[in-house]
Amino acid sequence: MKLRELDKKMKECQACELAKTRTMVVPGEGSSRAEIMFIGEGPGKNEDLQGRPFVGAAGKFLDELLGQINLKREDIYIANVVKCRPPNNRDPKPEEAKACWPWLEQQIQIIKPKIIVPLGRHSLQRFIPEAIISQYHGRALRKEFKPLGKLVFFPCYHPAAALYNGSLRTILEEDFRKIPKIIELIEKEE
Ligand code: URA
């Protein structure tokens, strides 16, 4: 299946309660051949209105971070753990995240990224439940992830958390700067 077909199906999803309150589904955006896949938590107000991921202030900062390593949105793929906005930006409920999971799994299967960058602790915990973001950020780790096989994860803080925190901002910039080198290392291994 192609991403476009998957997006079309996603836009009709009624698998959880969030379908009742969303304005638009936010499937994700970017290149279907991206080497890097960024995964946020879920759409906020702006994303819900536009149907596009990371279009608010955190998205602007994400673009800046990408620019610092010479990447544009078109080069990467960006998705969220849940594709519909939880009302008032509350955390997604476990049953909502569970209902949405097959979409993300299929996106990863189609894109086959070289690395997955979970943004923030909620996204990280979906992939590596025991991981604590303050200990795992900026480190690549390879993990068998059923049914997708071996995946390389490179957790980072969420850009929204760094918006008003100068030291987190510096950490996020430093972590992003490691991404090209990690891809290089993975390519050498292949
Ligand atoms: N925060 C997220 O985690 N995802 C978005 O799409 C926007 C903000």
Side-chain angles (χ1 to χ4, degrees):
M1 190 175 355
K2 296 240 169 72
L3 273 183
R4 222 173 303 149
E5 291 167 53
L6 189 68
D7 288 1
K8 226 170 130 191
K9 288 192 189 170
M10 240 183 270
K11 286 175 187 168
E12 285 159 16
C13 183
Q14 300 287 335
C16 81
E17 290 282 298
L18 297 181
K20 293 188 187 138
T21 49
R22 73 179 177 225
T23 312
M24 291 179 83
V25 177
V26 182
E29 225 171 59
S31 165
S32 58
R33 293 180 313 190
E35 295 184 332
I36 316 170
M37 190 164 172
F38 291 87
I39 303 180
E41 295 167 4
K45 187 168 181 232
N46 294 304
E47 290 78 19
D48 173 68
L49 291 172
Q50 294 184 39
R52 300 180 54 211
F54 283 90
V55 290
K60 270 215 182 94
F61 181 38
L62 179 63
D63 288 341
E64 237 181 274
L65 290 165
L66 290 172
Q68 288 176 14
I69 51 171
N70 294 317
L71 288 173
K72 295 198 204 71
R73 290 259 183 146
E74 305 89 89
D75 304 319
I76 56 122
Y77 195 87
I78 182 138
N80 281 302
V81 170
V82 292
K83 316 300 191 196
C84 298
R85 182 191 184 208
N88 305 314
N89 297 345
R90 65 158 169 76
D91 286 346
K93 295 178 184 166
E95 61 269 27
E96 293 161 354
K98 196 169 165 214
C100 211
W101 189 252
W103 296 124
L104 186 56
E105 220 166 63
Q106 289 178 82
Q107 288 176 315
I108 297 171
Q109 249 156 0
I110 294 170
I111 297 164
K112 299 191 177 57
K114 289 199 160 86
I115 79 171
I116 290 180
V117 181
L119 293 170
R121 66 191 169 97
H122 293 292
S123 173
L124 174 58
Q125 275 170 7
R126 294 277 148 221
F127 293 99
I128 312 169
E130 71 276 14
I132 298 163
I133 189 79
S134 57
Q135 290 171 11
Y136 277 68
H137 75 89
R139 288 165 47 184
L141 75 131
R142 190 174 269 130
K143 194 180 174 225
E144 176 70 29
F145 195 82
K146 287 194 175 123
L148 299 171
K150 279 219 167 72
L151 299 178
V152 177
F153 295 99
F154 184 74
C156 285
Y157 281 107
H158 195 290
L163 278 181
Y164 308 103
N165 181 329
S167 54
L168 268 196
R169 194 181 173 101
T170 309
I171 292 172
L172 203 42
E173 286 173 346
E174 282 171 5
D175 288 349
F176 264 61
R177 259 182 251 131
K178 295 181 193 165
I179 292 175
K181 190 90 204 156
I182 292 163
I183 303 235
E184 220 179 274
L185 285 173
I186 295 169
E187 278 169 352
K188 265 195 202 145
E189 274 181 20
E190 282 171 358

